[in-house]
Amino acid sequence: MRRLNRKKTLNLMKELDAFPKVPESYVETSASGGTVSLIAFTTIAFLTIMEFMVYQDTWMKYEYEVDKDFTSKLRINIDITVAMRCQYVGADVLDLAETMVASADGLIYEPVPFELTPQQKEFQRMLQIIQSRLQEEHSLQDVIFKSAFKSASTALPPREDNSLQSPDACRIHGHLYVNKVAGNFHITVGKAIPHPRGHAHLAALVSHESYNFSHRIDHLSFGELIPGIINPLDGTEKIASDHNQMFQYFITVVPTKLHTYKISAETHQFSVTERERVINHAAGSHGVSGIFMKYDISSLMVTVTEEHMPFWQFLVRLCGIIGGIFSTTGILHGFGRFVAEIIFCRFRLGSYRSTSDPLPDGHTSNHLPLITDNSTH
């Protein structure tokens, strides 16, 4: 009884078979079919490898929304070297709310030589090359996002020599916390002094011959400090052509949430335009000598998310490749055989007509001889 039920079940499964098998005695193989099969299998293998490489890759998705956070503080990370002695310069931030953030709240003034060592010059040159490539190919920014915390540090390497060169510059580095409103971070002559009616620097004791605002921006960023991220002003170096010279940087800061498979952080991207001019009151060029970074906060926030192709989508694409190539090559092979048979059939008919027997009256006979009963005996 059990064997009978098993046989019925097996017969039922055979009836449900959607892939009927053709007996091998009915299958005809050919050299052309083998060639087409070899081409199809090679194409399938190549496209499968390419599709697997696409499956392993990731891409960055950008989403935009209104930034509703107005109460938190904005962190500014600074590492700038100015070609003046530390006692001659002062750095601070003044925002639109007339709130002054002094450099003593988080910046360090370090006397250093302005001239870089050969190793530092090579690093700076490579950083400038990367910056120029980023301006031409914006898709490289996605590579930098994905390699954050994995790549080498973007900070200037320390000096490897122990020379007794006297420090002729001042490295101002550290971080400041400011309000999330437009402001102006500036480095100018003299230390900042608090004043109830405005903002002033004690510059009267510094001679104009000592002014030299040649500077190098080793790092400038906003928000959380993320190693491996290259910012637009990193590696910038400006040499002043005059003692009374003003360098201006107009910065637009965009809050950014970065979510990759390695990190999840809240940082800020920014774009910048530059301007520099010599201060000459007699010629109508008014202003104050120094380095001025005027930043504005964008009302939009960007969410950058690293995405990956789902495994089910990879399987669907892979099945589409295999099935599509098999179907396409089968159709092309069948069409080619059809055309070849037509051509060869016409050729054979022409050969039969040329070898037909002539009749006495000048006509030709294309009929085959009839087989009679007498011829079989």
Side-chain angles (χ1 to χ4, degrees), residues 305-323:
T305 307
E306 185 178 8
E307 293 191 344
H308 186 271
M309 181 188 297
F311 183 70
W312 65 266
Q313 187 176 353
F314 169 71
L315 291 180
V316 170
R317 292 166 64 100
L318 197 61
C319 292
I321 289 174
I322 297 174

Side-chain angles (χ1 to χ4, degrees), residues 112-117 119-120 157-163 165 216:
V112 294
F114 188 76
E115 184 70 19
L116 295 176
T117 63
Q119 180 185 4
Q120 292 175 329
R159 304 183 70 90
E160 71 276 5
D161 59 347
N162 296 321
S163 62
Q165 181 181 358
R216 183 177 60 252

Side-chain angles (χ1 to χ4, degrees), residues 50-165:
M50 297 298 294
E51 189 66 25
F52 183 72
M53 293 175 63
V54 173
Y55 171 72
Q56 285 186 318
D57 195 15
T58 59
W59 61 88
M60 308 304 293
K61 179 182 179 182
Y62 292 82
E63 297 178 332
Y64 302 90
E65 59 181 311
V66 177
D67 185 15
K68 301 178 181 179
D69 184 11
F70 302 105
T71 58
S72 63
K73 294 288 185 177
L74 175 64
R75 171 169 168 160
I76 306 179
N77 307 295
I78 302 164
D79 191 351
I80 301 176
T81 302
V82 185
M84 292 181 65
R85 297 188 181 276
C86 291
Q87 61 266 26
Y88 295 157
V89 295
D92 58 347
V93 176
L94 185 66
D95 59 25
L96 289 182
E98 298 296 331
T99 302
M100 189 187 79
V101 180
S103 60
D105 295 338
L107 296 183
I108 300 173
Y109 292 78
E110 180 184 353
V112 294
F114 188 76
E115 184 70 19
L116 295 176
T117 63
Q119 180 185 4
Q120 292 175 329
K121 288 182 179 179
E122 181 65 20
F123 178 84
Q124 185 188 33
R125 188 183 67 84
M126 293 299 299
L127 193 59
Q128 291 174 350
I129 292 176
I130 295 175
Q131 292 285 18
S132 62
R133 293 292 300 275
L134 282 173
Q135 294 177 2
E136 298 174 358
E137 303 178 19
H138 299 286
S139 60
L140 291 179
Q141 186 64 44
D142 294 350
V143 180
I144 294 177
F145 279 149
K146 289 189 287 186
S147 62
F149 277 130
K150 295 192 300 182
S151 59
S153 175
T154 56
L156 189 71
R159 304 183 70 90
E160 71 276 5
D161 59 347
N162 296 321
S163 62
L164 300 178
Q165 181 181 358

Side-chain angles (χ1 to χ4, degrees), residues 32 56 78 115 134 139 158 163 181 269 277 298 300-301 336 340-341 360 363:
S32 61
Q56 285 186 318
I78 302 164
E115 184 70 19
L134 282 173
S139 60
S163 62
V181 295
Q269 302 178 82
R277 60 187 175 93
S298 174
L300 292 179
M301 181 175 62
E341 288 177 357
H363 294 81

Side-chain angles (χ1 to χ4, degrees), residues 1-16:
M1 185 68 179
R2 186 176 300 176
R3 181 178 297 177
L4 182 62
N5 292 335
R6 184 180 301 176
K7 188 174 182 180
K8 289 182 178 180
T9 303
L10 184 61
N11 292 332
L12 179 62
M13 295 301 295
K14 288 182 178 180
E15 293 293 332
L16 296 176

